[in-house]
Amino acid sequence: MTIEWLAYDYHSGIDSIYWRLYDNFTGESILHGHEDLLAQGNSEDIDECIIKYGNYSRGPNCYKTNHWGAFHRHYQIKPEVKRDGGIRYNKRLGLHDSDYFLEINATNKALVSTILTKKITIDISPPHTGTVQDGIRGTDEIDFQQSKTLNAYWDGYFDKESGVMFYMYGFDTVKIPTSDFQLDSNSSIIPLSTKAEKDHSRFEIQNTDSKYEIQDSKFEIQYLN
């Protein structure tokens, strides 16, 4: 798991960062991990900060304070199992359809703190399958279409934990390989928002890495969950 956030204080700069991960299944906070992080400062000016953090994830994101030099806003952590700090060994695995909470405490040089808490829900299951039909919604399934405009519709695809993020569809005279369904600007496959899922023929639901395929004589359904 990779976690990122921005933390900054234009007046005195950041002195320290503390994060903790916990659950609240029983009504009490059960700690899964925690860690103290060093402030990303100690730069005399913006130019030094850019050089110092130039190779960091997403590049340098620097700002300058009036009296404490320059600091880097962007923080990224990949929690690991550690003896002191980090993720606890017996809490290193999450549970499907369960809520966890990440709390971040940022303290500035004046020792004033701000706390931000975010909920994380684990979803490792694919969306439930539905059906796809040739033709226009409200009409019977058809085997042939005379118009050069192809119509199809689908129903019943859902994901109760995190919802369906989007669909992807494409047209071809042969089966489209699953590998073609990528978020690539050069791809002919078209991403489709869940708000516009009414009248297209071939599509793919994408959510994680598993694959499922249904195929009939004319239309193909694929989704990645």
Side-chain angles (χ1 to χ4, degrees), residues 1-5 17 19 21 32-37 40 55-58 74-82 84-88 92 102 104 120:
M1 179 171 61
T2 300
I3 304 170
E4 301 180 84
W5 68 85
I17 296 285
W19 66 263
L21 183 68
H32 287 242
H34 67 94
E35 192 170 15
D36 289 293
L37 303 177
Q40 296 176 157
N55 293 326
Y56 272 49
S57 175
R58 304 188 187 280
H74 180 250
Y75 288 78
Q76 183 190 85
I77 61 170
K78 298 179 180 181
E80 300 177 349
V81 175
K82 298 179 181 179
D84 298 314
I87 297 295
R88 294 183 174 182
R92 68 191 186 280
L102 175 70
I104 299 171
I120 302 170

Side-chain angles (χ1 to χ4, degrees), residues 9-120:
D9 186 285
Y10 292 121
H11 302 286
S12 62
I14 297 296
D15 183 70
S16 63
I17 296 285
Y18 171 81
W19 66 263
R20 71 183 184 111
L21 183 68
Y22 64 95
D23 72 61
N24 195 28
F25 302 152
T26 62
E28 297 183 1
S29 296
I30 306 298
L31 187 66
H32 287 242
H34 67 94
E35 192 170 15
D36 289 293
L37 303 177
L38 296 176
Q40 296 176 157
N42 299 321
S43 299
E44 292 293 330
D45 51 37
I46 293 291
D47 292 337
E48 182 181 335
C49 178
I50 291 174
I51 294 173
K52 184 174 182 178
Y53 297 100
N55 293 326
Y56 272 49
S57 175
R58 304 188 187 280
N61 189 341
C62 298
Y63 68 98
K64 193 175 188 307
T65 63
N66 292 330
H67 306 289
W68 291 93
F71 292 78
H72 181 59
R73 295 182 183 86
H74 180 250
Y75 288 78
Q76 183 190 85
I77 61 170
K78 298 179 180 181
E80 300 177 349
V81 175
K82 298 179 181 179
R83 177 176 298 179
D84 298 314
I87 297 295
R88 294 183 174 182
Y89 181 79
N90 63 339
K91 296 293 185 181
R92 68 191 186 280
L93 300 177
L95 298 177
H96 173 66
D97 198 17
S98 298
D99 294 333
Y100 299 86
F101 298 89
L102 175 70
E103 179 182 287
I104 299 171
N105 187 323
T107 303
N108 65 13
K109 294 289 186 180
L111 302 183
V112 179
S113 297
T114 295
I115 297 176
L116 176 67
T117 302
K118 289 289 186 180
K119 183 175 75 172
I120 302 170

